[in-house]
C-alpha cells in the first residue's frame, strides 16, 4: 500500500499571506495526485488533480506542484474561506484503490 | 449535475452489519460514465476510501476492509449500497458516498453530505 504523509499537521498563517502544504508518497505516484479541501461539517471538494491542474471553479490562488514522491499545495494569498483541512490523495494504483494523507489543518494565525 | 444523498441507520450494534444507501439524482447509476464509491471519516481523523463499483457490477475494495465489505448498484432504484459486516467501535465514522468519472482522472468530484454512523451497544 502506498502511504501518503502530509506536513505539517497544523499550519498557522495570517490572512493575505502564503501557505505551503506538503505531501509525500512512500513510493512514486508520478503525477497521480489530488488535493481536497474540507470545511467543518462539509464533504471534501477537489481542488487540484494531476498534481497541478485546478479543478473547475477553483481560484487561481490555489496551485499544486511536484511529481514522484514530493508534492506541494500553495495558496498564494489566504482568504478567510481558505481556512480548512486539506488532504492529498494518490490514485496511481487505481484500479484497484486509493489512499489519502492524514490531512493538514490550516488555521488562522 | 449529479446529486448524492446517503441514508441508513445512525446507530449499529457491535458485530452487526452496517447497511447504507446512496440515492443518485441527475444521472443514472447505469451510466458507463462513472464509478460510484464510499469513503469514511472517523471522528477527528482523515479520509479512508472503502470501495467503488462500476455500473457493470465490477467492484473494488480497500484491502484492509475487503473481507467485511460489499458494494452494489441497484438500477431499479437508481442507487448504490454499502454493507459492512462485523462492525466494531472503530467503524464509527461519517460515511460519504461519492462519484468519479470513468474516463479521465479518477478523483471524487461529487460527494454526498455524509451520514454519521455510530457503533455502540
Amino acid at each position: 500500500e502506498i502511504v501518503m504523509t502530509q506536513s505539517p499537521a497544523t499550519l498557522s498563517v495570517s490572512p493575505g499571506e502564503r501557505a505551503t502544504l506538503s505531501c509525500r508518497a512512500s513510493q512514486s505516484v508520478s503525477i497521480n495526485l489530488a488535493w481536497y479541501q474540507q470545511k467543518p461539517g462539509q464533504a471534501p471538494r477537489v481542488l487540484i488533480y494531476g498534481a497541478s491542474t485546478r479543478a473547475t471553479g477553483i481560484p487561481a490562488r490555489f496551485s499544486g506542484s511536484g511529481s514522484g514522491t514530493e508534492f506541494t499545495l500553495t495558496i498564494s494569498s489566504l482568504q478567510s474561506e481558505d481556512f480548512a483541512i486539506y488532504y492529498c490523495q494518490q490514485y496511481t494504483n487505481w484500479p484497484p484503490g486509493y489512499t489519502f494523507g492524514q490531512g493538514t489543518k490550516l488555521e488562522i494565525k | 449535475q449529479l446529486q448524492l444523498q446517503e441514508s441508513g441507520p445512525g446507530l449499529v450494534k457491535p458485530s452487526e452489519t452496517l447497511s447504507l444507501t446512496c440515492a443518485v439524482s441527475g444521472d443514472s447509476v447505469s451510466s458507463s460514465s462513472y464509478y460510484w464509491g464510499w469513503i469514511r471519516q472517523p471522528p477527528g481523523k482523515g479520509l479512508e476510501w472503502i470501495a467503488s463499483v462500476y455500473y457493470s457490477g465490477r467492484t473494488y475494495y480497500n484491502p484492509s476492509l475487503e473481507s467485511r465489505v460489499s458494494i452494489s448498484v441497484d438500477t431499479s432504484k437508481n442507487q448504490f449500497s454499502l454493507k459492512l459486516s462485523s462492525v466494531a467501535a472503530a467503524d464509527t465514522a461519517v460515511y460519504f458516498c461519492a462519484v468519479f468519472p470513468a474516463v479521465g482522472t479518477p478523483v471524487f468530484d461529487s460527494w454526498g453530505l455524509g451520514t454519521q454512523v455510530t457503533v455502540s451497544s
Side-chain angles (χ1 to χ4, degrees):
Chain A
E1 176 184 307
I2 299 176
V3 177
M4 307 302 292
T5 302
Q6 292 185 240
S7 61
T10 303
L11 181 62
S12 299
V13 183
S14 300
E17 293 189 341
R18 174 188 298 257
T20 302
L21 290 67
S22 297
C23 175
R24 173 176 293 178
S26 61
Q27 63 189 75
S28 177
V29 298
S30 185
I31 58 168
N32 298 314
L33 190 285
W35 290 94
Y36 294 81
Q37 177 194 66
Q38 186 180 32
K39 297 179 180 179
Q42 297 185 17
R45 69 162 177 164
V46 61
L47 301 174
I48 301 283
Y49 61 90
S52 62
T53 301
R54 278 189 302 277
T56 302
I58 301 303
R61 64 180 182 273
F62 291 91
S63 63
S65 63
S67 66
T69 61
E70 300 285 342
F71 301 88
T72 300
L73 175 69
T74 301
I75 311 171
S76 60
S77 178
L78 279 165
Q79 307 296 305
S80 58
E81 62 266 29
D82 300 335
F83 293 96
I85 299 176
Y86 292 83
Y87 295 95
C88 62
Q89 176 212 16
Q90 69 81 17
Y91 49 90
T92 200
N93 58 351
W94 170 264
Y98 313 85
T99 46
F100 290 90
Q102 82 280 17
T104 290
K105 181 179 181 181
L106 180 58
E107 63 178 26
I108 300 175
K109 186 174 182 180
Chain B
Q1 183 178 355
L2 278 171
Q3 291 192 328
L4 308 176
Q5 178 64 61
E6 305 89 349
S7 62
L11 182 64
V12 182
K13 290 182 169 55
S15 80
E16 294 189 341
T17 295
L18 164 66
S19 295
L20 296 174
T21 296
C22 182
V24 177
S25 58
D27 209 327
S28 170
V29 292
S30 299
S31 170
S32 60
S33 299
Y34 310 103
Y35 284 86
W36 312 97
W38 290 93
I39 299 103
R40 70 181 182 179
Q41 186 170 35
K45 295 188 178 181
L47 302 166
E48 180 181 35
W49 171 72
I50 303 170
S52 291
V53 62
Y54 195 43
Y55 82 103
S56 62
R58 180 75 166 91
T59 55
Y60 308 85
Y61 296 114
N62 185 324
S64 68
L65 297 168
E66 187 166 11
S67 63
R68 299 194 291 130
V69 69
S70 173
I71 188 172
S72 60
V73 170
D74 185 343
T75 57
S76 67
K77 297 181 179 179
N78 209 39
Q79 63 187 29
F80 60 102
S81 299
L82 177 75
K83 293 186 185 298
L84 181 65
S85 64
S86 303
V87 297
D91 295 310
T92 293
V94 175
Y95 285 74
F96 296 97
C97 59
V99 60
F100 65 86
V103 176
T105 307
V107 294
F108 294 102
D109 56 7
S110 292
W111 297 64
L113 296 176
T115 187
Q116 173 69 50
V117 176
T118 301
V119 178
S120 175
S121 55

